Amino acid sequence: MAKTRAQVAAIDPVWSQIREEAEKAVEAEPLLGGVFHSCILHHTSLEAALAYRVSLKLSSGELSEQILREIADEAYADDETLGAAARADITAVYDRDPACHRYLQPLMYFKGFQAVQSYRLSHWLWNKGREDLAYLFQMRTSEVFGVDIHPNARVGKGIMIDHAHGIVIGETAVVGDNVSMLHSVTLGGTGKEDDDRHPKIGDGVLIGAGAKVLGNIEIGHCTRIAAGSVVLNAVPECKTVAGVPAKIVGEAGCSQPALSMNQVLAK
């Protein structure tokens, strides 16, 4: 038996809110009715809508939309944490990005959110031993969104990447939960080592635009990395670092810098 809207809202408030916003968007702009129906209103779950949206964006002459959607559907059916992470990511963008006024915006328009969901599918493929398909997902994600995340990198939930142009996250990088970063961030290595060589970013970290964090170093929970910084050494929890090379310039300024998005350094 079909669930009522109230039942859906109680079970899955994020998806319910997205559908409600899509209905209002169709009323406000009937010319986009077909777009909102195909991307949102036609689907019975956020996972189905994500599979459609990602496959549509990543499709090419090499991999058709149909094949990509079958892969995505398989992934979401196999691993329920993918959908849970997507909901946390949407909520993170809505809460932290002042340009985000509706829950449907990340799903429809924000390439940072879309790129992270594409990465999550590539990571699922990688863990299943399907490395060539994972690399193809990585390649297309980089080509389409300008975001290059290796399928073996480990990225937590509640991730917000604002503007999301020129993001690079290396093979052995780890990104914790509730991390926020802006455009042109690199989590990279320092040479040609082929072992564990990339940064480990703690929970609640805020990484400013253009910051580079290089090498197998630990960045403590709830740290702020100022825009344009080059971080080459480990950073304790709840500190602010800035400069080239980056140095500790003070405390983080609040308990959750990734949530507050406050990037102003105190004088």
Side-chain angles (χ1 to χ4, degrees), residues 184-195:
S184 300
V185 164
T186 298
L187 306 181
T190 57
K192 294 177 64 177
E193 310 95 298
D194 61 0
D195 54 359

Side-chain angles (χ1 to χ4, degrees), residues 14-143:
V14 171
W15 176 236
S16 178
Q17 181 68 25
I18 290 172
R19 287 187 59 87
E20 182 177 331
E21 291 170 356
E23 290 171 353
K24 292 179 179 178
V26 173
E27 293 176 5
E29 186 53 86
L31 288 175
L32 291 179
V35 174
F36 285 112
H37 274 278
S38 63
C39 292
I40 296 173
L41 297 173
H42 175 72
H43 305 287
T44 58
S45 68
L46 177 59
E47 286 81 356
L50 284 167
Y52 175 84
R53 194 72 178 139
V54 170
S55 62
L56 182 69
K57 300 297 287 186
L58 298 187
S59 61
S60 69
E62 293 178 314
L63 279 178
S64 70
E65 180 184 340
Q66 180 179 351
I67 291 174
L68 288 167
R69 189 169 178 184
E70 289 175 0
I71 294 168
D73 283 336
E74 180 187 357
Y76 287 119
D78 177 72
D79 187 353
E80 64 182 16
T81 67
L82 294 172
R87 288 167 175 81
D89 296 340
I90 288 175
T91 303
V93 177
Y94 179 81
D95 288 343
R96 301 175 210 167
D97 185 350
C100 184
H101 308 292
R102 294 172 294 169
Y103 280 79
L104 69 74
Q105 285 178 263
L107 176 61
M108 291 296 298
Y109 310 126
F110 291 1
K111 69 176 185 175
F113 170 81
Q114 295 171 1
V116 171
Q117 306 323 305
S118 301
Y119 148 76
R120 295 195 189 284
L121 293 175
S122 75
H123 185 66
W124 178 84
L125 287 165
W126 187 272
N127 287 339
K128 293 293 183 180
R130 302 165 72 178
E131 294 185 3
D132 286 314
L133 264 176
Y135 280 129
L136 278 170
F137 265 73
Q138 178 192 8
M139 177 191 72
R140 286 298 293 157
T141 301
S142 179
E143 291 173 345

Side-chain angles (χ1 to χ4, degrees), residues 201-223:
I201 308 298
D203 298 340
V205 172
L206 171 60
I207 308 178
K212 316 300 177 188
V213 187
L214 306 177
N216 183 15
I217 57 175
E218 299 274 348
I219 306 299
H221 300 312
C222 300
T223 286

